[in-house]
Amino acid sequence: MGIIAIAAGAALALSACAGGSAGSSSPQSIDGKITGAITFQTWNLKAGFKDYFEGLISSFEKKHPGTEIKWLDQPADNYAQKLQAQVTSNSLPDVVNTAPDLAYPLAQAGALLDLGKADPKAKSLYLADAWDSTKYADPAGSFAYPWYLNTGPTFFNKKLFTEAGLDAAAPPKSYDDMLKQAAQLGKAANGKFYMWGNVPTIIDLAENGVKVITADQTKFTFDSSRAEELLKEFKAAYDAKGILPAGLSASYTGVGDAFMSGQVAMNSGSAYDLKNFDKNAPELAQNLGIAPAFSSTGVYQMSVQDLSVSSKSKNTPTAVAFAKYVTNAENQMAFAKIVNIFPSSTGSLDDPFFSKTDGTQNTELRVAAAAQLKSAESFRPPVFTAAMETYVQQQFADAILGKTPIKDALANAVAKCNQLLG
């Protein structure tokens, strides 16, 4: 969803007839004269970045006389459903803002150009892990150009840490450590506030070394002893009043607000959040601590936004040229200097903008996040649907609440995911 929510977490039930035979987007020629009109669709970006995109479009049109880029921007809500409707009605724009899980069902429907076949040299233009996030096993191919990235960190409230007797100068750097400190905080705060407010996800499991799915993405495998151990730690922290009870509800979406109001002491986020804290939570901003994202493997979660090209485009050369123009190193760097996101273009993260700090909190966060991205990958499998996510969350919450044995909850979750995958 534009800048704020990178991962869509949704899947579209698209039939093969909606955009061609499933997985059959044949490699169209990207050669030819760059001219004529194309449509370009973004996801909730016009309100905040109108000047940037209008300037980008204007510069492309000047560079390629005879071209015309018609910019569409969809609202944040129901973007997945909008894409579904566009594919069904054969009106998908030529260049469209996607994410790995959004592009996957479109690729299955044959609605996206396989850029791995159509433009094989493009791979070298982007970070390897970012490019890999655009690749699917079924249909086999790469169905987007990576665009902008984000990752971590973990934010914490120094004041609440101190009140609970924790060392604000040594915040937890792993889930194991956080959950141990959550139990300590729970005993000290006794329900006045909590350490954490989220049910663990399969991304959390992956960051802790759990193999979530097979390499060919045909079978979920996260019911491991390591996953069981992590859920036991969550349960112990919950029993000690270290986990926000409301956070275990499937309908709860307020953990961000709970962190800003001082109801929870620690929360994951992104570099974009700093402006929000300054504007809407000044007391938190004065007591804000920043720690790396949790990882027991040294590999961090990377959220990715992409640009895909419609396999039905009547102007493929211009569509591909524009998508690559938006995602080239120069234009990604310009965008990164407007908002706290990170470029996927090769070599860009080595720029001093991402490696040198001036001592301010914003630059320290930017440098730390850029370093994380050099050893980051997208842990959420694109085949992991919203229905799977809902069921997994419910099983994990029941395990933490003691309603279901942990081993059974993991087995149930894996079985359900594999059933839905099949």
Side-chain angles (χ1 to χ4, degrees), residues 292-303:
F294 297 142
S295 174
S296 63
T297 64
V299 181
Y300 299 92
Q301 161 68 2
M302 174 176 66
S303 298

Side-chain angles (χ1 to χ4, degrees), residues 58-138:
S58 177
S59 65
F60 180 83
E61 291 173 342
K62 288 179 181 178
K63 184 177 181 180
H64 300 284
T67 58
E68 180 185 0
I69 311 301
K70 299 177 181 178
W71 180 26
L72 311 171
D73 188 66
Q74 298 296 339
D77 294 337
N78 301 316
Y79 186 59
Q81 288 76 12
K82 179 65 176 181
L83 290 173
Q84 178 177 0
Q86 289 174 327
V87 172
T88 302
S89 62
N90 286 316
S91 61
L92 190 71
D94 297 280
V95 178
V96 59
N97 185 179
T98 58
D101 57 332
L102 284 176
Y104 176 69
L106 274 64
Q108 282 191 311
L112 299 182
L113 185 64
D114 181 354
L115 297 168
K117 291 180 180 179
D119 191 14
K121 294 181 181 179
K123 178 179 179 180
S124 64
L125 302 176
Y126 305 95
L127 294 172
D129 287 323
W131 180 264
D132 285 346
S133 74
T134 74
K135 293 167 59 178
Y136 308 130
D138 181 21

Side-chain angles (χ1 to χ4, degrees), residues 271-310:
Y272 187 80
D273 290 317
L274 284 181
K275 289 184 179 179
N276 187 35
F277 297 155
D278 288 339
K279 180 179 179 181
N280 297 313
E283 183 177 353
L284 170 65
Q286 292 176 1
N287 294 284
L288 187 68
I290 301 173
F294 297 142
S295 174
S296 63
T297 64
V299 181
Y300 299 92
Q301 161 68 2
M302 174 176 66
S303 298
V304 188
Q305 285 286 300
D306 301 316
L307 289 184
S308 296
V309 176
S310 170

Side-chain angles (χ1 to χ4, degrees), residues 251-279:
S251 61
Y252 184 71
T253 58
V255 66
D257 290 337
F259 178 63
M260 289 197 295
S261 68
Q263 196 175 9
V264 297
M266 201 165 201
N267 192 38
S268 56
S270 72
Y272 187 80
D273 290 317
L274 284 181
K275 289 184 179 179
N276 187 35
F277 297 155
D278 288 339
K279 180 179 179 181

Side-chain angles (χ1 to χ4, degrees), residues 203-225:
I203 290 176
D204 301 319
L205 300 185
E207 287 176 321
N208 282 271
V210 175
K211 186 177 181 181
V212 169
I213 196 169
T214 56
D216 61 3
Q217 298 182 357
T218 60
K219 184 179 181 181
F220 286 94
T221 58
F222 56 85
D223 54 340
S224 68
S225 57

Side-chain angles (χ1 to χ4, degrees), residues 29-35 60 313-322:
S29 173
I30 65 173
D31 299 323
K33 189 175 181 181
I34 301 172
T35 189
F60 180 83
S313 175
K314 295 179 180 179
N315 193 352
T316 301
T318 301
V320 166
F322 182 70

